[in-house]
Amino acid sequence: MPRLPHARETAARVLTHVCEQVDWLDRRSTVAETVRAAAAVLEASEFLRTEDRTQGLAVSALLDRLLDAPSTALGPERLELLAGLRSHVRTLLRQPDWPKAPWADVVVSSAGQDVPTMLTEPTMRFYKWLGGTLSERARIAEFGPWLGSSTRCLCEGMGEPAGQSVDAYDSFVWSGWMDTYVPTRPYGDWPRPGDSFLSLFQETVRPYHPRVVAHPCWIDDSLDSGERPAWDHLELVELLVYDMGPDRALLDIIWEVFSPHFEPERTLLVFNEYGKVHASALWDFCDDHADRLRPRYKPDGTAKAFLYV
Ligand SMILES: C[S@@+](CC[C@H](N)C(=O)[O-])C[C@H]1O[C@@H](n2cnc3c(N)ncnc32)[C@H](O)[C@@H]1O
C-alpha cells in the first residue's frame, strides 16, 4: 500500500499554514475547500471503522456541506469520491445500531500477536471469537490470508477437537507494498517482490496442521491466465473470509463459485476491507447482493461480517 514519504511533515505544514492564515482565508478558497474535504475524508474513514451513529451523523453533515454547493477547487475525482462516501454513509446510517461487541475481552495469544498482520487488534479478537462460534465440522474458505494472522486467530478460537478446516487461497507471492506492514523482519530470510511466501504462511499455521490447507493460486477475471478457486468439500461453507482487496471481478468470481455452497441463515461472510474509504466496489457488491447479505457483526476496524440469508 503506497504511503506518502513525508505525510506527517506535510500535514503539519498544512495545519500551521491554516492556523496562521485563518483570519483572512476566504472560506471558499482552494485551500479552505481542500482542507475541509481532507478533514471530511479522515472523519469518514474513522466512522467506517466504527460505524458509530453519532460520528456518522457528523460526517454526513460535513459531506453535505461540501457537496450541496460543490466547489470547482476540488475537481471531479475528489467530488466523485466524496459523493460515493456520502451515499455509503447514508446507507450505513439506515442500519440498526451495533450492540456491544462480545469479542471485546477475547485475548489473542502472544504467538498470534507476533505474526505480522494487516488486521486491527479488535479484528484479531473478533476472528478468534468467531472461530469459537463455528460448528464442530465447520468448513471455512479464506481468501487472502497473507502471512496467516487471520487464519491463526480463527484457529485459536476453534479449540479441540480439530474437526473444522480452513481452505486458504492466496497467490502467496510477495509484493513490494507488503513491506510496509513488516517494520521489523521477524525471520532472517525475508521474501522479495516476486518470491513465494508460502513457507512463512505454513510456519504461522503449523500448530494447526492439518486443518489448514493452503491453495496457492492467482485469481483474476481473465479467461486465459485466471485461476478459478474450487470448493472440494461435501460440506457447505460455514464461513467465508475475503481480504483480497475491493476488486469487483474477483468478488464476482468467488460469489459464482462459492455461493452455491452457502447455507441460508448459517453461512457468514467477512469482508475485511469493507470499512476502507476506497472500498466502493465492495460496498456496491454488498448492496447488489443486499437481498442475500444481512449485516451481522462490526468489529472496530475495517472488517464487517454479513449473514447469508
Ligand atoms: C490485504 S492482504 C491480506 C491480509 C491478511 N488477511 C492478514 O491477516 O494480515 C491481501 C492478500 O491477498 C492476496 N491477493 C490479492 N489479490 C490476489 C489475487 N487476485 N489472487 C490471489 N491472491 C491475491 C495477496 O497475496 C495478499 O496476501
Side-chain angles (χ1 to χ4, degrees):
M1 212 151 287
R3 302 239 157 161
L4 284 176
H6 305 297
R8 193 195 301 233
E9 290 81 353
T10 308
R13 274 206 300 276
V14 171
L15 182 60
T16 307
H17 179 78
V18 172
C19 290
E20 282 172 2
Q21 311 299 329
V22 75
D23 283 347
W24 62 266
L25 199 65
D26 183 85
R27 67 181 189 85
R28 300 207 71 79
S29 71
T30 306
V31 176
E33 283 297 291
T34 310
V35 170
R36 196 174 287 130
V41 173
L42 279 176
E43 291 299 323
S45 152
E46 281 291 314
F47 165 64
L48 294 184
R49 286 171 167 259
T50 59
E51 294 191 11
D52 172 80
R53 177 166 300 276
T54 312
Q55 215 173 357
L57 291 169
V59 171
S60 187
L62 282 177
L63 291 168
D64 282 347
R65 183 152 186 233
L66 283 158
L67 288 162
D68 287 348
S71 158
T72 49
L74 295 177
E77 264 180 42
R78 286 175 185 163
L79 287 174
E80 195 188 335
L81 172 75
L82 294 170
L85 271 175
R86 176 165 71 172
S87 155
H88 185 54
V89 168
R90 285 176 174 174
T91 303
L92 295 178
L93 284 172
R94 283 195 292 272
Q95 293 173 6
D97 285 342
W98 294 106
K100 190 180 173 309
W103 51 86
D105 299 326
V106 170
V107 178
V108 174
S109 72
S110 55
Q113 288 183 36
D114 284 347
V115 179
T117 188
M118 301 186 195
L119 306 179
T120 60
E121 219 192 315
T123 305
M124 291 172 75
R125 278 188 243 127
F126 170 65
Y127 279 139
K128 178 165 177 177
W129 173 84
L130 204 52
T133 65
L134 299 169
S135 71
E136 277 182 12
R137 292 197 47 79
R139 301 282 167 250
I140 296 143
E142 184 179 10
F143 295 87
W146 192 44
L147 294 174
S149 161
S150 39
T151 324
R152 199 186 152 111
C153 289
L154 288 166
C155 290
E156 261 192 32
M158 287 174 194
E160 301 295 335
Q164 298 110 334
S165 66
V166 184
D167 286 77
Y169 303 81
D170 200 299
S171 65
F172 297 107
V173 173
W174 198 259
S175 292
W177 62 267
M178 296 171 178
D179 287 332
T180 320
Y181 294 90
V182 198
T184 52
R185 302 291 151 89
Y187 317 99
D189 218 3
W190 200 256
R192 282 174 301 194
D195 291 349
S196 169
F197 60 86
L198 179 59
S199 59
L200 296 178
F201 171 79
Q202 280 166 334
E203 185 57 29
T204 302
V205 298
R206 197 163 45 85
Y208 303 101
H209 180 80
R211 71 169 83 164
V212 179
V213 180
H215 298 268
C217 58
W218 177 255
I219 310 167
D220 70 25
D221 59 342
S222 59
L223 289 175
D224 46 349
S225 63
E227 290 177 44
R228 295 215 153 212
W231 184 248
D232 297 329
H233 299 283
L234 292 176
E235 297 91 348
L236 296 168
V237 180
E238 191 164 317
L239 171 66
L240 186 147
V241 178
Y242 177 86
D243 195 6
M244 278 187 178
D247 180 327
R248 183 63 196 247
L250 280 193
L251 288 158
D252 285 342
I253 287 177
I254 289 168
W255 183 266
E256 186 189 314
V257 175
F258 286 80
S259 64
H261 307 284
F262 295 166
E263 188 177 336
E265 302 292 342
R266 177 126 188 247
T267 300
L268 264 184
L269 293 95
V270 180
F271 298 106
N272 197 53
E273 297 196 298
Y274 187 85
K276 285 196 171 167
V277 164
H278 288 285
S280 61
L282 191 42
W283 310 333
D284 291 346
F285 173 84
C286 293
D287 290 348
D288 290 348
H289 292 287
D291 57 330
R292 289 299 205 173
L293 296 176
R294 187 194 303 149
R296 187 71 181 88
Y297 302 116
K298 179 71 193 92
D300 199 344
T302 59
K304 185 162 174 171
F306 294 80
L307 182 67
Y308 180 78
V309 293

